[in-house]
Amino acid sequence: MGKRAQQGDGNAGPLLEQAVRSVLTAPEEGLDLALDTGASLLAASAGQWPAVSRALLGYADTAVGRCWSAGWRPADLVRVVRRGLKPVHLALAVDLIAAEARRHPAAGLDRRWLEQLRELEAEVWWPSDEQYLGAFAHRHRLDRFALATAVLELLRSWGRLPPIAPVGPAPGASTAARRPTGPVTGEPRMLARIRALLAKAESTEYPEEAEALTAKAQQLMAQHSIDEALVAAAAADRNTPAALRIGVDNPYEGPMTMLLDAVAAANRCRVVWAKEFGFCTVIGFDGDLDGVELLYTSLLVQATHALNKAGSGKDSRSKAFRQSFLVAYAARIRERLTAATERTTTAAAAGRHLREDGTEEQLLPDARLLPALAARSAAVDEEVGRLFPKLVSQRVRVSDGEGWAAGRAAADRAALHGRGEIHN
């Protein structure tokens, strides 16, 4: 692991701050000049380069930490860079996040924060802070001026981000400010069972079998939510809804958001779309959030595959066809998931309990069930109102009948599994 930045950077620290300040405050028409001037100052001397490197990683503690305090998380910062900048900025972003993470012991971070760091592979790979920029330039075949320019562009992008609603504690938050965010290690047995079930659904070549496995997976998720609600009711658990962010981006971000909302609604969660930042915030109880992320990821991959096979000739490549396909796909998935959840809830209210292996057992009906579920839904709605007091609805239009029909047919064939990969 690289050595931490040291104090006493000489002129490099003030020079970096001056360059960043000029770039942050520059109007669009003056940005190129500010970048050129700042990068020239930082890259002027090979002898000064190690001090600039050390100063940059020290500055990252402040710049990245300010983003955490404003509600942003590691995956969010990387998503901002991926949407607006280039691969070199993305590599820099991950490194600066890794450098800042040295300040925080892993035990002080919530599990989703740790998962994001792992997924980003945010690790300190450079031998010392003085050698970081030189090693990075060598890796990416950049000269000092080009790398200094990229650094300033990245810091401008992050430095202009507004505060957003937090979805969990920031690193360094006091213990009192933290609230439960689910198990830190492992995962509930039911969720592991769902993963296994859906992996089987993915591998089958028979649509009918995949549909049956799909419905069973959603029923298991609904049963898991019911079980958690009853346990919380019995223990007078004061656990509150949590939230996570999931990236949705062009093309067809509207239908993708509809699909995420369909999965969330069937699992007693709510979705708020921040179109300008390319993500949705999903609000719900922690176990439900895990299931929503799993199912949505799978469905998005399946929808993309089905879309590429659908339609007749060039009509299927038109924007209207694809938009209509994806809207219909999301609408039909909503119907399927909602029906599966309603079947499970009705059965549970009558005392029929779905085991992890998919078989049912008859228990005595529990009169607390429906009030407990209603209370959890009300708590989620209240949390949405607290986090997002001003919301507006968004319509998504369709204009291709063939695309609509193809999308519904694909949704009927879909298996809700979590084995595909998407980038947040």
Side-chain angles (χ1 to χ4, degrees), residues 243-272:
L244 61 80
R245 297 191 187 103
I246 294 177
V248 290
D249 212 341
N250 273 325
Y252 313 113
E253 57 188 357
M256 290 180 186
T257 299
M258 287 182 61
L259 179 61
L260 177 56
D261 186 65
V263 177
N267 290 282
R268 300 184 177 89
C269 298
R270 294 273 305 275
V271 170
V272 177

mmCIF file of all heavy atoms in Angstrom, residues 243-272:
data_model
loop_
_atom_site.group_PDB
_atom_site.id
_atom_site.type_symbol
_atom_site.label_atom_id
_atom_site.label_comp_id
_atom_site.label_asym_id
_atom_site.label_seq_id
_atom_site.Cartn_x
_atom_site.Cartn_y
_atom_site.Cartn_z
ATOM 1 N N ALA A 243 -32.149 3.250 1.780
ATOM 2 C CA ALA A 243 -32.208 3.650 0.368
ATOM 3 C C ALA A 243 -30.908 3.260 -0.314
ATOM 4 O O ALA A 243 -29.866 3.109 0.328
ATOM 5 C CB ALA A 243 -32.451 5.157 0.235
ATOM 6 N N LEU A 244 -30.985 3.078 -1.615
ATOM 7 C CA LEU A 244 -29.797 2.886 -2.432
ATOM 8 C C LEU A 244 -30.027 3.539 -3.783
ATOM 9 O O LEU A 244 -31.166 3.861 -4.144
ATOM 10 C CB LEU A 244 -29.462 1.397 -2.578
ATOM 11 C CG LEU A 244 -30.483 0.457 -3.235
ATOM 12 C CD1 LEU A 244 -30.461 0.537 -4.747
ATOM 13 C CD2 LEU A 244 -30.212 -0.973 -2.803
ATOM 14 N N ARG A 245 -28.931 3.754 -4.505
ATOM 15 C CA ARG A 245 -29.034 4.346 -5.840
ATOM 16 C C ARG A 245 -28.651 3.312 -6.888
ATOM 17 O O ARG A 245 -27.711 2.542 -6.698
ATOM 18 C CB ARG A 245 -28.133 5.573 -5.971
ATOM 19 C CG ARG A 245 -28.518 6.697 -5.024
ATOM 20 C CD ARG A 245 -27.794 8.002 -5.357
ATOM 21 N NE ARG A 245 -28.064 8.985 -4.326
ATOM 22 C CZ ARG A 245 -27.218 9.330 -3.375
ATOM 23 N NH1 ARG A 245 -26.001 8.783 -3.344
ATOM 24 N NH2 ARG A 245 -27.542 10.222 -2.464
ATOM 25 N N ILE A 246 -29.378 3.328 -7.993
ATOM 26 C CA ILE A 246 -29.110 2.439 -9.110
ATOM 27 C C ILE A 246 -29.020 3.289 -10.370
ATOM 28 O O ILE A 246 -29.893 4.127 -10.626
ATOM 29 C CB ILE A 246 -30.213 1.376 -9.254
ATOM 30 C CG1 ILE A 246 -30.197 0.446 -8.028
ATOM 31 C CG2 ILE A 246 -30.040 0.569 -10.537
ATOM 32 C CD1 ILE A 246 -31.288 -0.599 -8.029
ATOM 33 N N GLY A 247 -27.980 3.094 -11.143
ATOM 34 C CA GLY A 247 -27.779 3.898 -12.337
ATOM 35 C C GLY A 247 -28.761 3.548 -13.444
ATOM 36 O O GLY A 247 -29.037 2.384 -13.712
ATOM 37 N N VAL A 248 -29.320 4.559 -14.078
ATOM 38 C CA VAL A 248 -30.115 4.410 -15.300
ATOM 39 C C VAL A 248 -29.648 5.492 -16.259
ATOM 40 O O VAL A 248 -29.518 6.646 -15.887
ATOM 41 C CB VAL A 248 -31.633 4.536 -15.047
ATOM 42 C CG1 VAL A 248 -32.164 3.345 -14.285
ATOM 43 C CG2 VAL A 248 -31.974 5.818 -14.311
ATOM 44 N N ASP A 249 -29.359 5.113 -17.470
ATOM 45 C CA ASP A 249 -28.755 6.073 -18.371
ATOM 46 C C ASP A 249 -29.284 5.871 -19.772
ATOM 47 O O ASP A 249 -29.902 4.857 -20.095
ATOM 48 C CB ASP A 249 -27.226 5.907 -18.361
ATOM 49 C CG ASP A 249 -26.508 7.218 -18.587
ATOM 50 O OD1 ASP A 249 -27.133 8.171 -19.106
ATOM 51 O OD2 ASP A 249 -25.310 7.294 -18.246
ATOM 52 N N ASN A 250 -29.053 6.848 -20.624
ATOM 53 C CA ASN A 250 -29.434 6.748 -22.021
ATOM 54 C C ASN A 250 -28.636 5.658 -22.708
ATOM 55 O O ASN A 250 -27.500 5.366 -22.311
ATOM 56 C CB ASN A 250 -29.208 8.092 -22.717
ATOM 57 C CG ASN A 250 -30.414 8.990 -22.570
ATOM 58 O OD1 ASN A 250 -31.546 8.516 -22.571
ATOM 59 N ND2 ASN A 250 -30.177 10.282 -22.471
ATOM 60 N N PRO A 251 -29.145 5.039 -23.753
ATOM 61 C CA PRO A 251 -30.443 5.351 -24.346
ATOM 62 C C PRO A 251 -31.605 4.703 -23.587
ATOM 63 O O PRO A 251 -31.398 3.746 -22.854
ATOM 64 C CB PRO A 251 -30.331 4.761 -25.758
ATOM 65 C CG PRO A 251 -29.389 3.624 -25.599
ATOM 66 C CD PRO A 251 -28.395 4.044 -24.550
ATOM 67 N N TYR A 252 -32.784 5.262 -23.758
ATOM 68 C CA TYR A 252 -34.025 4.701 -23.214
ATOM 69 C C TYR A 252 -34.044 4.693 -21.696
ATOM 70 O O TYR A 252 -34.463 3.717 -21.063
ATOM 71 C CB TYR A 252 -34.253 3.295 -23.783
ATOM 72 C CG TYR A 252 -34.049 3.232 -25.276
ATOM 73 C CD1 TYR A 252 -32.995 2.510 -25.829
ATOM 74 C CD2 TYR A 252 -34.873 3.961 -26.135
ATOM 75 C CE1 TYR A 252 -32.781 2.486 -27.197
ATOM 76 C CE2 TYR A 252 -34.668 3.947 -27.510
ATOM 77 C CZ TYR A 252 -33.617 3.209 -28.036
ATOM 78 O OH TYR A 252 -33.405 3.194 -29.394
ATOM 79 N N GLU A 253 -33.602 5.797 -21.106
ATOM 80 C CA GLU A 253 -33.570 5.858 -19.648
ATOM 81 C C GLU A 253 -34.975 5.861 -19.054
ATOM 82 O O GLU A 253 -35.190 5.349 -17.951
ATOM 83 C CB GLU A 253 -32.800 7.097 -19.198
ATOM 84 C CG GLU A 253 -33.349 8.393 -19.745
ATOM 85 C CD GLU A 253 -32.462 9.591 -19.451
ATOM 86 O OE1 GLU A 253 -31.444 9.427 -18.770
ATOM 87 O OE2 GLU A 253 -32.812 10.684 -19.923
ATOM 88 N N GLY A 254 -35.957 6.417 -19.788
ATOM 89 C CA GLY A 254 -37.334 6.423 -19.293
ATOM 90 C C GLY A 254 -37.886 5.019 -19.102
ATOM 91 O O GLY A 254 -38.365 4.662 -18.006
ATOM 92 N N PRO A 255 -37.850 4.164 -20.133
ATOM 93 C CA PRO A 255 -38.322 2.794 -19.951
ATOM 94 C C PRO A 255 -37.524 2.009 -18.917
ATOM 95 O O PRO A 255 -38.082 1.172 -18.196
ATOM 96 C CB PRO A 255 -38.152 2.193 -21.350
ATOM 97 C CG PRO A 255 -38.233 3.347 -22.286
ATOM 98 C CD PRO A 255 -37.601 4.481 -21.548
ATOM 99 N N MET A 256 -36.221 2.264 -18.814
ATOM 100 C CA MET A 256 -35.421 1.574 -17.798
ATOM 101 C C MET A 256 -35.892 1.957 -16.401
ATOM 102 O O MET A 256 -35.955 1.112 -15.498
ATOM 103 C CB MET A 256 -33.950 1.918 -17.968
ATOM 104 C CG MET A 256 -33.303 1.318 -19.199
ATOM 105 S SD MET A 256 -31.559 1.779 -19.304
ATOM 106 C CE MET A 256 -31.140 1.085 -20.908
ATOM 107 N N THR A 257 -36.237 3.225 -16.225
ATOM 108 C CA THR A 257 -36.755 3.662 -14.930
ATOM 109 C C THR A 257 -38.106 3.029 -14.649
ATOM 110 O O THR A 257 -38.407 2.642 -13.511
ATOM 111 C CB THR A 257 -36.855 5.192 -14.899
ATOM 112 O OG1 THR A 257 -35.547 5.754 -15.091
ATOM 113 C CG2 THR A 257 -37.414 5.681 -13.580
ATOM 114 N N MET A 258 -38.941 2.896 -15.690
ATOM 115 C CA MET A 258 -40.221 2.212 -15.521
ATOM 116 C C MET A 258 -40.017 0.763 -15.076
ATOM 117 O O MET A 258 -40.751 0.257 -14.225
ATOM 118 C CB MET A 258 -40.996 2.229 -16.845
ATOM 119 C CG MET A 258 -41.584 3.567 -17.228
ATOM 120 S SD MET A 258 -42.514 3.438 -18.781
ATOM 121 C CE MET A 258 -43.772 2.244 -18.334
ATOM 122 N N LEU A 259 -39.022 0.109 -15.656
ATOM 123 C CA LEU A 259 -38.742 -1.276 -15.282
ATOM 124 C C LEU A 259 -38.299 -1.361 -13.827
ATOM 125 O O LEU A 259 -38.762 -2.226 -13.066
ATOM 126 C CB LEU A 259 -37.667 -1.847 -16.207
ATOM 127 C CG LEU A 259 -37.233 -3.287 -15.933
ATOM 128 C CD1 LEU A 259 -38.406 -4.245 -16.077
ATOM 129 C CD2 LEU A 259 -36.096 -3.685 -16.875
ATOM 130 N N LEU A 260 -37.412 -0.474 -13.426
ATOM 131 C CA LEU A 260 -36.965 -0.456 -12.037
ATOM 132 C C LEU A 260 -38.136 -0.177 -11.103
ATOM 133 O O LEU A 260 -38.275 -0.810 -10.042
ATOM 134 C CB LEU A 260 -35.871 0.598 -11.848
ATOM 135 C CG LEU A 260 -35.346 0.794 -10.426
ATOM 136 C CD1 LEU A 260 -34.834 -0.516 -9.835
ATOM 137 C CD2 LEU A 260 -34.247 1.846 -10.406
ATOM 138 N N ASP A 261 -39.007 0.740 -11.481
ATOM 139 C CA ASP A 261 -40.166 1.059 -10.651
ATOM 140 C C ASP A 261 -41.101 -0.140 -10.542
ATOM 141 O O ASP A 261 -41.695 -0.379 -9.485
ATOM 142 C CB ASP A 261 -40.907 2.258 -11.239
ATOM 143 C CG ASP A 261 -42.034 2.732 -10.343
ATOM 144 O OD1 ASP A 261 -41.749 3.200 -9.223
ATOM 145 O OD2 ASP A 261 -43.210 2.625 -10.753
ATOM 146 N N ALA A 262 -41.226 -0.915 -11.629
ATOM 147 C CA ALA A 262 -42.072 -2.109 -11.585
ATOM 148 C C ALA A 262 -41.543 -3.118 -10.582
ATOM 149 O O ALA A 262 -42.300 -3.695 -9.789
ATOM 150 C CB ALA A 262 -42.146 -2.730 -12.983
ATOM 151 N N VAL A 263 -40.243 -3.357 -10.612
ATOM 152 C CA VAL A 263 -39.626 -4.295 -9.667
ATOM 153 C C VAL A 263 -39.763 -3.767 -8.238
ATOM 154 O O VAL A 263 -40.095 -4.513 -7.313
ATOM 155 C CB VAL A 263 -38.153 -4.523 -10.026
ATOM 156 C CG1 VAL A 263 -37.486 -5.438 -9.001
ATOM 157 C CG2 VAL A 263 -38.024 -5.117 -11.425
ATOM 158 N N ALA A 264 -39.509 -2.471 -8.065
ATOM 159 C CA ALA A 264 -39.571 -1.884 -6.729
ATOM 160 C C ALA A 264 -40.981 -1.936 -6.155
ATOM 161 O O ALA A 264 -41.185 -2.317 -4.992
ATOM 162 C CB ALA A 264 -39.070 -0.442 -6.775
ATOM 163 N N ALA A 265 -41.971 -1.572 -6.950
ATOM 164 C CA ALA A 265 -43.348 -1.532 -6.457
ATOM 165 C C ALA A 265 -43.822 -2.908 -6.015
ATOM 166 O O ALA A 265 -44.527 -3.049 -5.005
ATOM 167 C CB ALA A 265 -44.269 -0.974 -7.539
ATOM 168 N N ALA A 266 -43.438 -3.947 -6.764
ATOM 169 C CA ALA A 266 -43.839 -5.304 -6.400
ATOM 170 C C ALA A 266 -43.180 -5.767 -5.115
ATOM 171 O O ALA A 266 -43.647 -6.726 -4.496
ATOM 172 C CB ALA A 266 -43.504 -6.263 -7.537
ATOM 173 N N ASN A 267 -42.125 -5.093 -4.713
ATOM 174 C CA ASN A 267 -41.400 -5.460 -3.497
ATOM 175 C C ASN A 267 -41.480 -4.375 -2.432
ATOM 176 O O ASN A 267 -40.576 -4.235 -1.603
ATOM 177 C CB ASN A 267 -39.944 -5.791 -3.854
ATOM 178 C CG ASN A 267 -39.835 -7.077 -4.638
ATOM 179 O OD1 ASN A 267 -39.913 -8.164 -4.081
ATOM 180 N ND2 ASN A 267 -39.678 -6.980 -5.955
ATOM 181 N N ARG A 268 -42.558 -3.598 -2.483
ATOM 182 C CA ARG A 268 -42.889 -2.609 -1.458
ATOM 183 C C ARG A 268 -41.803 -1.542 -1.293
ATOM 184 O O ARG A 268 -41.462 -1.144 -0.185
ATOM 185 C CB ARG A 268 -43.177 -3.297 -0.127
ATOM 186 C CG ARG A 268 -44.339 -4.276 -0.209
ATOM 187 C CD ARG A 268 -44.687 -4.889 1.147
ATOM 188 N NE ARG A 268 -45.855 -5.747 0.992
ATOM 189 C CZ ARG A 268 -45.798 -7.056 0.680
ATOM 190 N NH1 ARG A 268 -44.598 -7.627 0.506
ATOM 191 N NH2 ARG A 268 -46.887 -7.776 0.544
ATOM 192 N N CYS A 269 -41.260 -1.123 -2.412
ATOM 193 C CA CYS A 269 -40.272 -0.047 -2.421
ATOM 194 C C CYS A 269 -40.764 1.068 -3.334
ATOM 195 O O CYS A 269 -41.698 0.891 -4.122
ATOM 196 C CB CYS A 269 -38.905 -0.545 -2.899
ATOM 197 S SG CYS A 269 -38.154 -1.816 -1.850
ATOM 198 N N ARG A 270 -40.143 2.206 -3.249
ATOM 199 C CA ARG A 270 -40.462 3.363 -4.100
ATOM 200 C C ARG A 270 -39.212 3.805 -4.847
ATOM 201 O O ARG A 270 -38.082 3.613 -4.375
ATOM 202 C CB ARG A 270 -40.968 4.537 -3.252
ATOM 203 C CG ARG A 270 -42.310 4.296 -2.549
ATOM 204 C CD ARG A 270 -43.494 4.647 -3.436
ATOM 205 N NE ARG A 270 -43.415 6.015 -3.922
ATOM 206 C CZ ARG A 270 -43.847 7.101 -3.256
ATOM 207 N NH1 ARG A 270 -44.357 6.963 -2.038
ATOM 208 N NH2 ARG A 270 -43.758 8.301 -3.792
ATOM 209 N N VAL A 271 -39.413 4.407 -6.014
ATOM 210 C CA VAL A 271 -38.318 4.858 -6.863
ATOM 211 C C VAL A 271 -38.460 6.346 -7.143
ATOM 212 O O VAL A 271 -39.552 6.826 -7.470
ATOM 213 C CB VAL A 271 -38.303 4.067 -8.196
ATOM 214 C CG1 VAL A 271 -37.333 4.699 -9.188
ATOM 215 C CG2 VAL A 271 -37.927 2.615 -7.955
ATOM 216 N N VAL A 272 -37.363 7.067 -7.025
ATOM 217 C CA VAL A 272 -37.296 8.485 -7.398
ATOM 218 C C VAL A 272 -36.167 8.642 -8.408
ATOM 219 O O VAL A 272 -35.021 8.262 -8.143
ATOM 220 C CB VAL A 272 -37.059 9.388 -6.172
ATOM 221 C CG1 VAL A 272 -36.913 10.843 -6.602
ATOM 222 C CG2 VAL A 272 -38.210 9.243 -5.181
#
